[in-house]
Amino acid sequence: MKKTMTNPRTLLAIFHDIVAAAFAWVVAYLLRFNFSIPADFASEMLATIGWVLMLQVGVFVGFGLYRGVWRFASVSDLKRIFLAVSSAAVLLAAFFFMLKTDVVIPRSVLVLDPLLLILLMGGSRFAYRAWKEHVLYGTTLRQGEPVIVLGAGEAAVALVKDLARSTQWRVVALLDDDLTMQGREIFGVKVRGTIEQLASVSRYLSVKYVIVAMPSVHHQKRREAIESANALELEVMTVPAIDDLMSGKVSVSQIRKVDVEDLLGRDAVKLDSSGLQMLIDQKVVMVSGAGGSIGSELCRQIVKYQPSLLICLDISEFSLYQLEQELSALGLPTRLIYLTTDVKNNTQINYILAQYKPSVVFHAAAYKHVPMMENGNVWEALSNNVIGTHTIAKACKDNGVAKFVLISTDKAVNPTNVMGASKRLAEMVCQGLQGETGTRFVIVRFGNVLGSSGSVIPKFREQIAKGGPITITHPEITRYFMSIPEAAQLVMQAGLMGKGGEIFVLDMGEPVKIADLALDMIRLSGFSADEIKIEYVGLRPGEKLYEELLADDEQTMPTPHEKLRIAQARTANLSWVNNLLVWIEGLHGTHEAQMKLELSGWVEEYSPQMVSSVEAHMPKSTQHITLH
């Protein structure tokens, strides 16, 4: 405080307030006596002004009026001035009352003085801020690019306020469907109509840019707003997602171009935060496959609930290094360790679980690439996805882990590929290990996630950057999509709700045609369908036109969470699981076509592709050689 009080700017501010206080005291007397102060009152005014100034400035210092910066004067500063001046006025009246002198101060002066002082002190600070901002931004502000903001809610208000200082943008209009907002102004910017009137407003104001500032509204409404602007060939930008804004990771002014994820966006997930706090807070948690898309997002979500220790396990050293670099930069209170091992390594997995004793394990480690697992890697898919799941699940059971959550896939439903069949077997392994007591095994099944390493979106972006063409397997192929954070949050929610042996199915929304997705990406990249061509190359090995979330003989039951249902699927027992493991171990050296035939005996819904076109033309002497 002493350092602040010796600052030249602070001393200047104190001097200003002393002058303002003296001026207010004199003007209060002038107003009381209609600018003709009687001689005796004039002498009393001059006799008391020194006491008045000392008392008022002392109160101002006590209220911390000189810790703020005038350039950033705000409503909170005005409140502080009001409280300080009001307190000084009360003390002043009490002071003269207790002195019991012959000095008579008119009561109207004691009322007028604080009113004038608040006006002078508050007005001068805001006038200085307005002048300073004009100097910093006023000369270039008019040169900023005019932009229309869609929305007039809290995000839009914050955006308009932030962009008022921008030299790049100049907000000229707001559009919002709330009829009560029509004609009103926000920081000097008028709400000129509804979003449907974008065409006429943008034409009237000669605007080429639009910012969609509606992060908390229904995703379908955001999409309609974006598509309306795109149809007018306006360049569309958006503010960050509501989760990022609430977490403080970004500010509303960090606008960016609209991406395909915004068109495929979904409503925010409602989580049982108190329940997740009980599940994770001050507990030891482990995530396998922590370096992958889902695994790394699970780690990001889990640390929000402050476990005592988070074990990030992955076979990829580089993926773990990237995750470690990201999480260490956040300065988290949670202790994190990064372990590299194979989930099939029974000795090491048991050692880790015995040493750290996690209460919850999320198992995201798996081979997931359908065409790659289909030919040449069938045994590896079965070994990693089935034996790996059994290894870590059995170790959890033996080491007293309270809950084990398996990340499964919609490709496990009526699988036409080895990857999907292997994940269906992994589900059944967990169900077979489920006992009446001990570890509770929970399975979560969902479809594609936006932006993951296996998603078509990064691939399409790369193809567009190269000038095309975009390659799609079939014009009618459709997929379900979900954002990575949403998937991770629902996995955690399902893990909390699971009692043991259930298969939770996530609400994936409406399926998306991949061809339509490609066209959206082309348009959002600033190209037309004539500039970036789309080529159809045919379905790849094991690929289906339509993904399913439930098998034909499965039904679902609702849960308390609107985006989670429980699949009623056939289960397996422990004896079945042991026989399955023996079969997989004995497959080494078996021809892949034979593996697929035998696999259909374990997964009744599986429809194998018998022999690939490459294998069909191989010499018989080499068809039985399988590389692992």
Side-chain angles (χ1 to χ4, degrees), residues 270-315:
K270 295 177 183 177
L271 297 177
D272 179 1
S273 295
S274 60
L276 288 171
Q277 200 78 36
M278 292 178 61
L279 179 71
I280 295 172
D281 183 38
Q282 297 308 306
K283 304 287 199 316
V284 178
V285 181
M286 186 171 91
V287 178
S288 72
S293 303
I294 295 296
S296 60
E297 184 61 30
L298 274 170
C299 294
R300 294 183 197 100
Q301 298 287 343
I302 288 168
V303 293
K304 294 179 182 178
Y305 296 93
Q306 298 186 349
S308 61
L309 171 65
L310 176 60
I311 306 164
C312 306
L313 185 144
D314 202 288
I315 196 171

Side-chain angles (χ1 to χ4, degrees), residues 379-400:
W379 189 84
E380 286 294 341
L382 292 171
S383 176
N384 191 73
N385 292 356
V386 184
I387 295 179
T389 296
H390 178 266
T391 300
I392 192 168
K394 178 69 163 51
C396 285
K397 189 171 184 176
D398 293 343
N399 288 278

Side-chain angles (χ1 to χ4, degrees), residues 28-29 32-33 41 93 104-114:
Y29 268 89
R32 165 63 180 83
F33 294 104
F41 279 103
V104 177
I105 300 175
R107 283 174 292 183
S108 55
V109 169
L110 294 175
V111 174
L112 287 169
D113 176 64

